Amino acid sequence: MNEGLTIAFLVIAVIFGGIGLVLFKEARTHRFWRQLVAQNDMRAIQGILDQEMEHWRTQRPPKDVSAAVWAGVQGLDLVSASAKHVRVSTSADPEFGNVGGRREQTASSLDTAYATALRLVEMIFYDIPNFRPNDVRVDVYTTFRNPEGVAEALPILCVEADRSSAMSLDWNLPPDVLAQEFETTADRAPSGEPRPIELPEDRFADIVAETTDAAAEEQRTD
């Protein structure tokens, strides 16, 4: 009887020891990546972002997200990044649905752009492991036709969000209401359709350029 209890305690000790070892290794791995990000290691930052963006591209859309919005999430491109800043771009299209037996437009491309941009802001702030930027910028484009009838992608929305403002928000509010809490550039025509905008100057361009140059110099010396 005593021998059986001893064996049982040993098995339990081994199991808990194994769990503790796994948790220790995982915590050490997270600490390692966070330290690289804090040092503005661009290879580490790029790797973290690329891995998470690839995960989003293969992830099924959440139940509360429309197919058009999720297409914008999955189609995003990384423009620039540093330890404290991320800038991405994507596109948005109108949404259509069955209304009274007819297929009609239910949301303009600007409505989709707002929903996509705010979804991306939330995801970049809170869903990327080992990376907590202070500022996120999302540029959203849609397709227009010029006088010659040629299609071209032009920007219709720019949302520049900061973490301190994001932390106090009720993310269940409509996207265009949430966007008012950040620096937002958009132009909606009386018809509700978007007009092209001129994108604001990138406030972090110099910082990103310096970081990129430093990373390139480090690679040459390695």
Side-chain angles (χ1 to χ4, degrees), residues 7-114:
I7 294 174
F9 280 123
L10 285 174
V11 170
I12 293 172
V14 169
I15 292 173
F16 276 97
I19 294 173
L21 181 61
V22 170
L23 293 176
F24 172 76
K25 288 183 176 180
E26 185 176 353
R28 187 171 62 179
T29 299
H30 286 304
R31 185 166 61 250
F32 170 76
W33 285 105
R34 286 195 293 267
Q35 288 174 346
L36 289 180
V37 170
Q39 295 165 5
N40 230 345
D41 187 311
M42 287 307 300
R43 283 177 289 187
I45 293 171
Q46 184 79 40
I48 290 171
L49 290 171
D50 286 345
Q51 182 176 6
E52 195 62 25
M53 288 165 60
E54 183 60 30
H55 171 66
W56 294 344
R57 291 188 182 102
T58 58
Q59 182 181 343
R60 297 186 64 177
K63 292 182 179 180
D64 62 334
V65 180
S66 72
V69 170
W70 197 247
V73 170
Q74 295 186 313
L76 85 162
D77 292 307
L78 179 63
V79 178
S80 62
S82 69
K84 300 298 182 182
H85 164 261
V86 175
R87 179 181 176 184
V88 297
S89 67
T90 189
S91 59
D93 295 313
E95 292 189 54
F96 294 85
N98 193 320
V99 180
R102 297 186 303 175
R103 188 163 181 79
E104 297 182 1
Q105 180 173 309
T106 56
S108 70
S109 54
L110 186 55
D111 296 324
T112 305
Y114 272 115

Side-chain angles (χ1 to χ4, degrees), residues 138-188:
V138 182
D139 302 328
V140 187
Y141 293 72
T142 197
T143 302
F144 292 90
R145 293 202 175 269
N146 63 24
E148 290 73 36
V150 178
E152 54 183 338
L154 298 174
I156 57 172
L157 178 67
C158 175
V159 177
E160 298 178 273
D162 61 281
R163 181 176 293 275
S164 59
S165 297
M167 290 179 66
S168 62
L169 291 183
D170 177 2
W171 288 93
N172 293 315
L173 293 172
D176 55 341
V177 175
L178 288 172
Q180 296 175 14
E181 302 298 323
F182 304 123
E183 294 186 29
T184 300
T185 304
D187 186 9
R188 191 189 293 270

